[in-house]
Amino acid sequence: MDSRYNSQQTEDEIYTLWEKADAFNPDSVKKLRQENDNKQDSSTGEQFSIILPPPNANDPLHVGHAMYTIEDVLVRYHRMLGDDTLWLPGTDHAGIETQFVFEKKLKKEGKSRFNFDRSTLYQMIWDYVQENSSVATDQMKKLGFSLDWSRFKFTLDKDIVDNVVETFQLLYKDGLIYRDLKLVNYCTRCGTSYSELEVNHEDKIDPLYTIQYGPLQVSTVRPETIFGDVAVAINPNDDRYKQYIGKMIEVEFPWGNKTMPVIADNYVDPKFGTGAVKVTPYHDQNDFQMWETHKSEISEVPVPVINTSGKIYNAPKKYNGLGVINARAAVLEDYEAYKDSQGRSLLISIDKKYSHSVGVCYRCAKPIEPLPLPQLFIKVADSSNPKNKKSNLVKRALESLDSGETKIHGAGREKVLRHWLKNLKDWNISRQIVWGIPIPVWYKINDNEDKIIVSFVDKNKVYQTGKLSKWLETTSLKEIKQNIQSISADISVPYSVSVEDPKLTTTTEKDVSDYIQETDTFDTWFSSSQWPVATLKTNKKGDFERFYSTSVMETGYDILPIWVMRMMLLGNYLTGKTPFKNVYLHGLIRDEKGKKMSKSKGNVINPLEVKEEFGADALRMALVIRSTPGQDKSVGKPDFKAARNLTNKIWNAARFTTLMIENPHETSVLKNAPGDAEYFVKLNSIISEISKHLSDLKLGLAAEVIYNEFWHWYCDICIEDAKQGKISLEVLKVGLVTFLKMLHPFMPFVTESIWQELLKKNIVSEKLLIVSDWPTQVS
């Protein structure tokens, strides 16, 4: 053996060795294990499967992805146990994130998405993703992940897309899909709506404005939405305003007067500002709820005053076209300058230190704009048909937790999951982006031309938008469809899903002259929530029956509600079984001082750079050792150095042990030394402890035990004892082989490299460590 272990020279060679042997493929492993030592089949008959949480197909891995190490440790352990073990890889099209990045690329080229029709833009993004599609997979190989690449899936593979569409149609048949005009969370920068789970909330300090509102004074942080007000609300128990409840008041604005009702609602906090608030149903979720509750008292039909571009409309001319911030400034300027009929200024006061929670886009951090849009929703807790167990998605997910069918590993995280499930609102699955799976919904054109807004690129490559009826006067429907960018159909327009309309099931959409297809795509989380089911059903024959339900879903606790919960909803719905028996939630990786990593702080860890400097095994061990599910972990250079030292210790111990075996020390004993029996007792207890920790998903403890026992017992004590003849060289060899097997899941490269050296020396007979037998009891 070389005097030093060279990770850069060795790791690629070892990974190639595994790939050539097809050692990651469960279809090959059984035969490999039999050939490994010319032995009988030692498989357990148990299955163990993990579906890799798919990384973005277009992005390099970050340190969070390096936590896939947890999955690899479990997979390598169960493969060595003899379980039928699958780790299925894939990548995600990452709809909004990828389109966001691509649009930034277009901007640098002086272009925008509005320069291209929908199909052209989709193909451009597809080509862009394909150019970079091997980045993530190549990097996963660099870190030693033993994924079965023969079963690789991409979220936009045709068979996956077909499976996702089939699920939508099944939900529709079961009455769980509906289209409605609701106030949705909209990002005017990303140009799409989001579900409530994709909105982050940040505490912010903003001015709170108090303005004169007829005889009342109301407090608001959003004076720019005043054009959409339909009422004033007060708390029914607020004695200051009881005389106004149910009355109409006349409100004087700088641009004219308006009469509106005063309603009483318990939502209003008497301690907020003046205790009176304006009600703007189409730009505030709570106001929308109040309007729905008090429709009979409010005669005015709400109108939206902010569009999807974040501009004011349906307002007095001078304000139309202004962005939200500029509109706010303009309204306040006019309020301050204007005096009402009683000579009062309409702007009463400004509290500049008002603290409140603001919803922001999880992708770009721009404040979310609540907008009224017709969207498609999934009923998550339908109770209209109690006999249909599939109809209440939330109930079935909760039952899987109650029964222990699904176990959550991560302190306090099950409580969080239950809270989300019990308070979950219907799921908005419509997204106004191109890069995704088209929603299979078609709108009837005849008699609805005035109710459908189309945006398209005309034959002169100019972006056009307006009512379909207008454009049909000068442009053929075929041309509009071919160059479509987006459509928006009024909530009253009849629509069809292909499963129910004979014309749509027997012809292609473009052949149906009386229909036009929805341009929204599915929420990425809708397709990825079917990932365990879809990847197994569309893979090799029998995989679904063989590996579902999967054994472990391992991911970050930050996407517990956004992804894990949704997989439980749809996995149970589609199969009647939980998609995974265990959910292992790792924490965030922080820097060595415990601070959150960010590019601006310059403390981001690049796993590939760590791999180059310290070796993949060092990175893996540093991330796993002393980790606890559900809790954040701090790592830095000292941790990587310590783990690299362990790598070197393993190499040196193996080298020294083989030298002793080949050239015994004059005081060494080959066999039957006095301390052998006691040595085996200790070694067997270590095997039992490591095995139990790994079986119980306590990987951090398992790594800590193996580290300490190998370094401080085997290296510090046992090797010295062998020199002095207290234990025999034979049992020292058994110990080395046993420790290499137990260390292998954590540090696969150095252990397999040593194994291949031992094989050359006939110290071991099993040809590949990766498919060797896990140690049970040795003697």
Side-chain angles (χ1 to χ4, degrees), residues 756-773:
Q756 295 307 309
E757 295 291 335
L758 299 183
L759 186 65
K760 294 174 189 174
K761 299 175 182 293
N762 295 317
I763 293 175
V764 295
S765 56
E766 292 173 291
K767 298 180 182 65
L768 286 169
L769 176 58
I770 189 173
V771 290
S772 66
D773 286 340

Side-chain angles (χ1 to χ4, degrees), residues 332-553:
L332 289 170
E333 183 180 350
D334 289 347
Y335 258 69
E336 191 169 22
Y338 185 83
K339 300 289 191 254
D340 69 8
S341 57
Q342 298 181 37
R344 298 173 299 188
S345 172
L346 294 184
L347 181 59
I348 306 301
S349 65
I350 304 174
D351 177 1
K352 294 184 178 180
K353 295 183 178 180
Y354 174 64
S355 176
H356 65 139
S357 178
V358 177
V360 298
C361 173
Y362 86 104
R363 182 64 192 87
C364 73
K366 184 179 175 65
I368 286 292
E369 200 63 68
L371 296 180
L373 293 175
Q375 305 273 271
L376 286 156
F377 295 85
I378 296 177
K379 297 178 186 177
V380 296
D382 183 29
S383 56
S384 60
N385 185 6
K387 291 184 179 180
N388 184 358
K389 292 183 179 180
K390 293 173 63 178
S391 65
N392 194 321
L393 307 182
V394 164
K395 183 180 179 183
R396 180 66 188 91
L398 284 168
E399 286 173 351
S400 68
L401 292 174
D402 293 339
S403 66
E405 189 182 353
T406 299
K407 295 178 181 177
I408 309 298
H409 300 263
R413 302 300 167 181
E414 182 175 332
K415 184 178 180 181
V416 171
L417 177 57
R418 287 179 179 275
H419 171 80
W420 275 105
L421 283 167
K422 291 175 182 177
N423 295 278
L424 193 61
K425 295 178 182 178
D426 286 353
W427 179 1
N428 168 18
I429 57 171
S430 300
R431 296 295 179 268
Q432 293 71 51
I433 60 173
V434 169
W435 185 237
I437 301 174
I439 295 177
V441 162
W442 287 262
Y443 298 104
K444 188 172 177 62
I445 295 175
N446 285 358
D447 301 323
N448 296 295
E449 294 91 338
D450 284 339
K451 298 177 183 178
I452 299 174
I453 306 296
V454 295
S455 300
F456 66 101
V457 180
D458 68 15
K459 58 186 176 183
N460 297 316
K461 302 300 179 185
V462 177
Y463 174 79
Q464 304 287 4
T465 187
K467 289 183 179 180
L468 180 59
S469 57
K470 170 193 169 184
W471 291 111
L472 287 176
E473 294 173 3
T474 58
T475 313
S476 71
L477 179 61
K478 182 179 180 180
E479 183 181 339
I480 291 172
K481 286 183 176 182
Q482 286 176 338
N483 298 288
I484 197 78
Q485 270 213 350
S486 65
I487 71 166
S488 176
D490 186 81
I491 194 65
S492 63
V493 176
Y495 69 94
S496 296
V497 173
S498 58
V499 288
E500 68 159 16
D501 196 299
K503 282 194 293 184
L504 296 177
T505 54
T506 56
T507 60
T508 64
E509 182 266 328
K510 286 186 179 179
D511 294 329
V512 182
S513 60
D514 195 27
Y515 288 86
I516 189 166
Q517 188 176 0
E518 172 65 81
T519 51
D520 283 357
T521 53
F522 284 123
D523 173 13
T524 301
W525 298 108
F526 175 70
S527 53
S528 61
S529 66
Q530 302 167 56
W531 197 234
V533 178
T535 52
L536 290 171
K537 280 199 169 182
T538 60
N539 229 297
K540 297 183 180 180
K541 187 177 180 181
D543 273 2
F544 179 77
E545 295 76 15
R546 182 177 171 190
F547 294 113
Y548 191 92
S549 299
T550 62
S551 307
V552 178
M553 169 50 62

